[in-house]
Amino acid sequence: MEQGIVSIYLDEQWSLEDFSVFSKQYIQIYGFFYGLRLVEENNSTLEYERMPWL
């Protein structure tokens, strides 16, 4: 899996609620790809309940 840096551009019009929604979605997406990487590496133990990617 290719790794790199991602830029997230803000338009200076975000509210606190926007940051809350963004961080929740980011954690969900990151967790999904974390799980895919484990499956790709043939690791049979997925530990989503402890959120090991944090």
Side-chain angles (χ1 to χ4, degrees):
M1 188 174 293
E2 188 175 328
Q3 296 181 3
I5 296 174
V6 175
S7 298
I8 300 170
Y9 299 101
L10 304 177
D11 63 2
E12 298 179 6
Q13 297 180 12
W14 284 41
S15 67
L16 289 177
E17 181 181 350
D18 294 332
F19 281 108
S20 173
V21 170
F22 173 77
S23 61
K24 178 183 175 188
Q25 291 177 347
Y26 180 86
I27 290 171
Q28 289 176 344
I29 292 169
Y30 190 93
F32 174 73
F33 284 106
Y34 177 85
L36 285 181
R37 188 184 69 186
L38 290 179
V39 169
E40 183 179 66
E41 295 171 356
N42 296 322
N43 188 341
S44 61
T45 59
L46 298 177
E47 300 179 20
Y48 283 105
E49 68 275 0
R50 294 187 309 131
M51 294 175 32
W53 56 87
L54 293 178

